[in-house]
Amino acid sequence: DAKTTQPNSMESNEEEPVHLPCNHSTISGTDYIHWYRQLPSQGPEYVIHGLTSNVNNRMASLAIAEDRKSSTLILHRATLRDAAVYYCILRPLSQGGSEKLVFGKGTKLTVNP
Amino acid sequence: KAGVTQTPRYLIKTRGQQVTLSCSPISGHRSVSWYQQTPGQGLQFLFEYFSETQRNKGNFPGRFSGRQFSNSRSEMNVSTLELGDSALYLCASSPGMIYEQYFGPGTRLTVT
């Protein structure tokens, strides 16, 4: 399973943008980059995913480096509700049909009021 | 649509006992995966079922088993419980061959 590296923790202020980095230097050409987050006392929640191009959805944006060895999850205006552990996960396009996700330790985001 | 539901939400068992946890996926979802979350090991993949067949299995001892029924509901069983099995057990479902997985709130198992 390809590995990702994330900072253990980050802090942000409410209503400011947050950039959560992820390094994945061993990514293969068919690996999708997924982000999930886990709010306190809840199960993980899908945030966004991408392959090569930058992606936007209602929750966040995903910026992918040209060489795909790193990516950044961008929360445009952090709210207190965004305080969570954020996981960057590489998921192969095909893994025998398996939906298995390999979670690392993630980044714990603290949002200050 | 109702989300993924897991029952029970909390459970206390004694070492040596066995336990069965239940997961009801989102309606129409055929894939169900199970994960164990502990403070020390984080989130670890247990196994995955699709259309009643186990499609993938994580690196856990044979005491951990599961099954999926024809209505896609899934159960996991842990026999001969050990203290180290205390964890949050999470179930996730997806329609299959799609990118997002939807997680339930988990079952908090405490083994004493």
Side-chain angles (χ1 to χ4, degrees), chain A residues 49-105:
Chain A
H49 77 274
L51 183 62
T52 55
S53 306
N54 294 345
V55 184
N56 301 298
N57 67 19
R58 63 173 181 82
M59 288 181 70
S61 295
L62 176 60
I64 301 172
E66 201 168 323
D67 63 6
R68 300 208 327 125
K69 293 186 187 298
S70 66
S71 61
T72 303
L73 179 71
I74 302 165
L75 306 179
H76 295 286
R77 287 184 68 203
T79 69
L80 296 178
R81 196 195 170 277
D82 291 322
V85 178
Y86 286 78
Y87 298 98
C88 170
I89 300 166
L90 299 183
R91 184 166 179 271
L93 173 63
S94 174
Q95 45 183 20
S98 174
E99 310 262 344
K100 170 185 173 183
L101 294 173
V102 179
F103 288 85
K105 296 200 181 299

Coordinates of all heavy atoms in Angstrom, one line a residue, chain A residues 49-105:
Chain A
H49 N -11.9 13.8 -3.6 CA -10.8 13.0 -4.2 C -10.4 13.5 -5.6 O -11.2 14.3 -6.2 CB -11.2 11.5 -4.3 CG -12.2 11.2 -5.4 ND1 -13.5 11.4 -5.3 CD2 -11.9 10.8 -6.7 CE1 -14.1 11.0 -6.5 NE2 -13.2 10.7 -7.3
G50 N -9.3 13.2 -6.0 CA -8.8 13.6 -7.4 C -7.7 12.7 -7.9 O -7.2 11.9 -7.2
L51 N -7.4 12.9 -9.2 CA -6.4 12.0 -9.8 C -5.2 12.9 -10.2 O -4.1 12.7 -9.8 CB -7.0 11.3 -11.0 CG -6.0 10.3 -11.7 CD1 -5.5 9.2 -10.8 CD2 -6.6 9.8 -13.0
T52 N -5.5 13.9 -11.1 CA -4.4 14.7 -11.6 C -4.8 16.2 -11.5 O -3.9 17.0 -11.1 CB -4.1 14.4 -13.1 OG1 -5.3 14.5 -13.8 CG2 -3.5 13.0 -13.2
S53 N -6.0 16.5 -11.8 CA -6.4 17.9 -11.9 C -6.9 18.4 -10.5 O -7.4 17.6 -9.7 CB -7.5 18.1 -12.9 OG -7.1 17.7 -14.1
N54 N -6.8 19.7 -10.3 CA -7.4 20.2 -9.0 C -8.9 20.0 -9.1 O -9.6 20.0 -10.1 CB -7.1 21.7 -8.9 CG -5.6 21.9 -8.8 OD1 -4.8 21.0 -8.5 ND2 -5.2 23.2 -9.0
V55 N -9.5 19.8 -7.9 CA -10.9 19.5 -7.8 C -11.5 20.4 -6.7 O -10.9 20.8 -5.7 CB -11.1 18.0 -7.3 CG1 -12.6 17.7 -7.3 CG2 -10.3 17.1 -8.2
N56 N -12.8 20.8 -7.0 CA -13.5 21.6 -6.0 C -14.9 20.9 -5.7 O -15.5 20.4 -6.6 CB -13.8 23.0 -6.6 CG -12.5 23.7 -6.9 OD1 -11.7 24.0 -6.0 ND2 -12.3 24.0 -8.2
N57 N -15.3 21.0 -4.5 CA -16.7 20.7 -4.2 C -17.2 21.6 -3.1 O -16.4 22.5 -2.7 CB -16.8 19.2 -3.8 CG -16.1 18.8 -2.5 OD1 -15.8 19.6 -1.7 ND2 -15.9 17.5 -2.4
R58 N -18.4 21.3 -2.6 CA -18.9 22.3 -1.6 C -18.2 22.3 -0.3 O -18.3 23.2 0.5 CB -20.4 21.9 -1.4 CG -20.6 20.6 -0.7 CD -22.1 20.3 -0.4 NE -22.2 19.0 0.3 CZ -22.0 18.7 1.5 NH1 -21.6 19.7 2.3 NH2 -22.1 17.5 2.0
M59 N -17.4 21.2 0.0 CA -16.7 21.2 1.3 C -15.3 21.8 1.2 O -14.8 22.4 2.2 CB -16.6 19.7 1.7 CG -17.9 19.1 2.2 SD -17.6 17.4 2.7 CE -16.7 17.7 4.3
A60 N -14.6 21.5 0.1 CA -13.2 21.9 0.0 C -12.7 21.9 -1.4 O -13.4 21.5 -2.3 CB -12.4 20.8 0.9
S61 N -11.4 22.2 -1.5 CA -10.7 22.1 -2.8 C -9.5 21.2 -2.6 O -8.9 21.2 -1.5 CB -10.2 23.5 -3.3 OG -11.3 24.3 -3.6
L62 N -9.1 20.5 -3.7 CA -7.9 19.7 -3.6 C -7.0 20.2 -4.7 O -7.4 20.2 -5.9 CB -8.3 18.2 -3.9 CG -7.2 17.2 -4.0 CD1 -6.4 17.2 -2.7 CD2 -7.8 15.8 -4.3
A63 N -5.8 20.6 -4.3 CA -4.8 21.0 -5.2 C -3.7 19.9 -5.3 O -3.2 19.5 -4.3 CB -4.1 22.3 -4.7
I64 N -3.5 19.4 -6.5 CA -2.5 18.3 -6.7 C -1.3 18.8 -7.5 O -1.5 19.5 -8.5 CB -3.2 17.2 -7.5 CG1 -4.4 16.7 -6.8 CG2 -2.2 16.0 -7.8 CD1 -5.3 15.7 -7.6
A65 N -0.1 18.6 -7.0 CA 1.1 19.0 -7.6 C 1.2 18.4 -9.0 O 0.7 17.3 -9.2 CB 2.3 18.6 -6.8
E66 N 1.9 19.1 -9.9 CA 2.1 18.6 -11.2 C 2.7 17.2 -11.3 O 2.3 16.4 -12.1 CB 2.9 19.6 -12.0 CG 2.7 19.5 -13.5 CD 3.4 20.7 -14.3 OE1 3.3 21.8 -13.7 OE2 3.9 20.4 -15.3
D67 N 3.7 16.9 -10.4 CA 4.3 15.6 -10.4 C 3.5 14.6 -9.6 O 3.9 13.4 -9.4 CB 5.8 15.7 -9.9 CG 5.9 16.2 -8.5 OD1 4.8 16.3 -7.8 OD2 7.0 16.4 -8.0
R68 N 2.4 15.0 -9.0 CA 1.5 14.2 -8.1 C 2.2 13.7 -6.9 O 1.6 12.8 -6.2 CB 0.9 13.1 -8.9 CG 0.1 13.5 -10.1 CD -1.0 12.6 -10.6 NE -0.7 11.2 -10.4 CZ -1.6 10.4 -9.7 NH1 -2.7 10.9 -9.1 NH2 -1.3 9.1 -9.6
K69 N 3.3 14.2 -6.5 CA 4.0 13.6 -5.3 C 3.5 14.3 -4.1 O 3.9 14.0 -2.9 CB 5.5 13.8 -5.5 CG 6.1 12.9 -6.5 CD 7.6 12.9 -6.6 CE 8.2 12.2 -7.7 NZ 7.9 10.8 -7.7
S70 N 2.7 15.3 -4.2 CA 2.1 15.9 -3.0 C 0.7 16.5 -3.4 O 0.4 16.7 -4.6 CB 3.0 17.0 -2.5 OG 3.1 18.1 -3.4
S71 N -0.1 16.8 -2.4 CA -1.4 17.4 -2.6 C -1.7 18.3 -1.4 O -1.1 18.1 -0.3 CB -2.5 16.4 -2.9 OG -2.6 15.5 -1.8
T72 N -2.7 19.2 -1.6 CA -3.1 20.0 -0.5 C -4.6 20.1 -0.4 O -5.2 20.4 -1.5 CB -2.5 21.5 -0.6 OG1 -1.1 21.4 -0.7 CG2 -2.9 22.4 0.5
L73 N -5.1 19.9 0.7 CA -6.6 20.1 0.9 C -6.8 21.5 1.4 O -6.1 21.9 2.4 CB -7.1 19.1 1.9 CG -8.6 19.2 2.2 CD1 -9.4 18.7 1.0 CD2 -9.0 18.4 3.5
I74 N -7.7 22.2 0.8 CA -7.9 23.6 1.1 C -9.3 23.8 1.6 O -10.3 23.5 0.9 CB -7.7 24.5 -0.1 CG1 -6.2 24.3 -0.6 CG2 -7.9 26.0 0.3 CD1 -6.0 24.9 -2.0
L75 N -9.4 24.3 2.9 CA -10.7 24.7 3.4 C -10.7 26.2 3.3 O -9.9 26.9 3.9 CB -10.8 24.2 4.9 CG -10.6 22.8 5.2 CD1 -10.7 22.5 6.7 CD2 -11.5 21.9 4.4
H76 N -11.6 26.7 2.6 CA -11.6 28.2 2.2 C -11.8 29.1 3.4 O -11.2 30.1 3.5 CB -12.5 28.4 1.0 CG -12.1 27.7 -0.2 ND1 -11.0 28.1 -0.9 CD2 -12.5 26.6 -0.8 CE1 -10.8 27.3 -2.0 NE2 -11.7 26.3 -1.9
R77 N -12.7 28.7 4.2 CA -13.0 29.5 5.4 C -13.3 28.5 6.6 O -14.4 27.9 6.6 CB -14.2 30.4 5.2 CG -13.9 31.6 4.3 CD -15.2 32.5 4.2 NE -15.4 33.2 5.5 CZ -16.6 33.6 5.9 NH1 -17.6 33.5 5.1 NH2 -16.7 34.2 7.0
A78 N -12.4 28.3 7.4 CA -12.5 27.3 8.5 C -13.6 27.7 9.5 O -13.7 28.9 9.8 CB -11.2 27.1 9.2
T79 N -14.4 26.8 9.9 CA -15.4 27.0 10.9 C -15.0 26.1 12.1 O -14.2 25.1 11.9 CB -16.8 26.7 10.5 OG1 -16.9 25.3 10.3 CG2 -17.1 27.5 9.2
L80 N -15.6 26.3 13.2 CA -15.4 25.4 14.4 C -15.7 24.0 14.1 O -15.1 23.0 14.6 CB -16.1 25.9 15.6 CG -15.7 27.3 16.1 CD1 -16.6 27.7 17.3 CD2 -14.2 27.4 16.5
R81 N -16.7 23.8 13.2 CA -17.2 22.5 12.8 C -16.1 21.7 12.0 O -16.3 20.5 11.8 CB -18.5 22.6 12.1 CG -19.2 21.2 12.0 CD -20.3 21.3 10.9 NE -20.9 19.9 10.7 CZ -20.3 19.0 9.9 NH1 -19.3 19.3 9.3 NH2 -20.9 17.8 9.8
D82 N -15.1 22.4 11.5 CA -14.1 21.8 10.7 C -13.0 21.2 11.5 O -12.1 20.5 11.0 CB -13.5 22.8 9.7 CG -14.5 23.2 8.6 OD1 -15.2 22.3 8.1 OD2 -14.4 24.4 8.2
A83 N -13.1 21.4 12.8 CA -12.1 20.7 13.7 C -12.2 19.2 13.7 O -13.3 18.7 14.0 CB -12.2 21.3 15.1
A84 N -11.2 18.6 13.2 CA -11.3 17.1 13.0 C -9.9 16.6 12.7 O -9.0 17.3 12.5 CB -12.2 16.8 11.8
V85 N -9.8 15.3 12.5 CA -8.6 14.6 12.0 C -8.8 14.4 10.5 O -9.8 13.8 10.1 CB -8.3 13.3 12.7 CG1 -7.1 12.7 12.1 CG2 -8.1 13.5 14.2
Y86 N -7.9 14.9 9.7 CA -8.0 14.8 8.3 C -7.0 13.8 7.7 O -5.8 13.8 8.0 CB -7.7 16.2 7.6 CG -8.8 17.1 7.8 CD1 -9.0 17.8 9.0 CD2 -9.8 17.4 6.8 CE1 -10.1 18.7 9.2 CE2 -10.8 18.3 7.0 CZ -11.0 18.9 8.2 OH -12.0 19.8 8.4
Y87 N -7.5 12.8 7.0 CA -6.8 11.7 6.4 C -6.6 11.9 4.9 O -7.6 12.0 4.2 CB -7.4 10.4 6.7 CG -7.6 10.0 8.2 CD1 -8.8 10.3 8.8 CD2 -6.6 9.4 8.9 CE1 -9.0 9.9 10.2 CE2 -6.7 9.1 10.2 CZ -7.9 9.4 10.9 OH -8.1 9.0 12.2
C88 N -5.4 11.8 4.5 CA -5.0 11.7 3.1 C -4.7 10.3 2.7 O -3.9 9.6 3.4 CB -3.8 12.6 2.8 SG -3.1 12.5 1.2
I89 N -5.4 9.7 1.7 CA -5.4 8.3 1.4 C -5.2 8.1 0.0 O -5.8 8.8 -0.8 CB -6.7 7.6 1.9 CG1 -6.9 7.7 3.4 CG2 -6.6 6.1 1.5 CD1 -8.3 7.4 3.8
L90 N -4.3 7.2 -0.4 CA -4.1 6.8 -1.8 C -4.9 5.5 -2.1 O -4.8 4.6 -1.4 CB -2.6 6.5 -2.1 CG -1.7 7.7 -2.0 CD1 -0.3 7.3 -2.4 CD2 -2.2 8.9 -2.7
R91 N -5.7 5.6 -3.1 CA -6.6 4.4 -3.4 C -6.3 4.1 -4.9 O -6.6 4.9 -5.8 CB -8.0 4.7 -3.2 CG -8.9 3.5 -3.4 CD -10.3 3.8 -2.9 NE -11.1 2.6 -3.1 CZ -11.9 2.4 -4.3 NH1 -11.9 3.4 -5.2 NH2 -12.6 1.4 -4.4
P92 N -5.8 2.9 -5.1 CA -5.6 2.5 -6.5 C -6.9 2.4 -7.3 O -7.9 2.1 -6.8 CB -5.0 1.1 -6.4 CG -4.5 1.0 -5.0 CD -5.4 1.9 -4.2
L93 N -6.8 2.8 -8.6 CA -7.9 2.7 -9.5 C -8.5 1.3 -9.4 O -9.8 1.2 -9.4 CB -7.5 3.1 -10.9 CG -8.6 2.9 -12.0 CD1 -9.7 3.8 -11.7 CD2 -8.0 3.2 -13.3
S94 N -7.7 0.3 -9.5 CA -8.2 -1.0 -9.4 C -7.4 -1.8 -8.4 O -6.2 -1.9 -8.4 CB -8.1 -1.7 -10.8 OG -8.4 -3.1 -10.7
Q95 N -8.1 -2.4 -7.4 CA -7.5 -3.2 -6.4 C -8.3 -4.5 -6.3 O -8.8 -4.8 -5.2 CB -7.2 -2.5 -5.1 CG -8.4 -1.7 -4.6 CD -8.0 -0.9 -3.3 OE1 -6.9 -0.7 -2.9 NE2 -9.0 -0.5 -2.5
G96 N -8.6 -5.1 -7.4 CA -9.4 -6.3 -7.5 C -10.8 -6.0 -7.1 O -11.5 -6.9 -6.6
G97 N -11.3 -4.8 -7.3 CA -12.6 -4.4 -6.9 C -12.8 -4.1 -5.5 O -13.9 -3.7 -5.0
S98 N -11.7 -4.2 -4.7 CA -11.8 -3.9 -3.3 C -12.0 -2.4 -3.0 O -11.4 -1.6 -3.7 CB -10.5 -4.4 -2.6 OG -10.5 -4.0 -1.2
E99 N -12.7 -2.1 -2.0 CA -13.0 -0.8 -1.5 C -12.1 -0.4 -0.3 O -12.2 0.7 0.2 CB -14.4 -0.6 -1.1 CG -15.4 -1.1 -2.1 CD -16.0 0.0 -3.0 OE1 -15.8 1.2 -2.7 OE2 -16.6 -0.3 -4.1
K100 N -11.1 -1.2 0.0 CA -10.3 -1.0 1.2 C -9.6 0.3 1.2 O -9.1 0.8 0.2 CB -9.2 -2.1 1.2 CG -8.1 -2.0 2.2 CD -7.1 -3.0 2.1 CE -5.9 -2.8 3.0 NZ -4.8 -3.8 2.7
L101 N -9.7 1.0 2.3 CA -9.0 2.3 2.5 C -7.9 2.0 3.6 O -8.1 1.4 4.6 CB -9.9 3.3 3.1 CG -11.1 3.8 2.1 CD1 -12.0 4.7 2.9 CD2 -10.5 4.5 0.9
V102 N -6.7 2.5 3.3 CA -5.6 2.4 4.2 C -5.4 3.8 4.9 O -4.9 4.7 4.2 CB -4.3 1.9 3.5 CG1 -3.1 1.9 4.5 CG2 -4.5 0.6 2.8
F103 N -5.7 3.9 6.1 CA -5.6 5.2 6.8 C -4.3 5.3 7.5 O -3.8 4.4 8.1 CB -6.7 5.2 7.9 CG -8.1 5.4 7.4 CD1 -8.9 4.3 7.1 CD2 -8.7 6.7 7.4 CE1 -10.2 4.5 6.6 CE2 -10.0 6.9 6.9 CZ -10.7 5.8 6.5
G104 N -3.7 6.5 7.4 CA -2.5 6.8 8.2 C -2.9 7.5 9.5 O -4.1 7.2 9.9
K105 N -2.0 8.2 10.1 CA -2.4 8.9 11.4 C -3.1 10.2 11.2 O -3.8 10.7 12.1 CB -1.1 9.1 12.2 CG -0.5 7.8 12.6 CD 0.5 7.9 13.7 CE 1.1 6.6 14.1 NZ 0.2 5.6 14.4

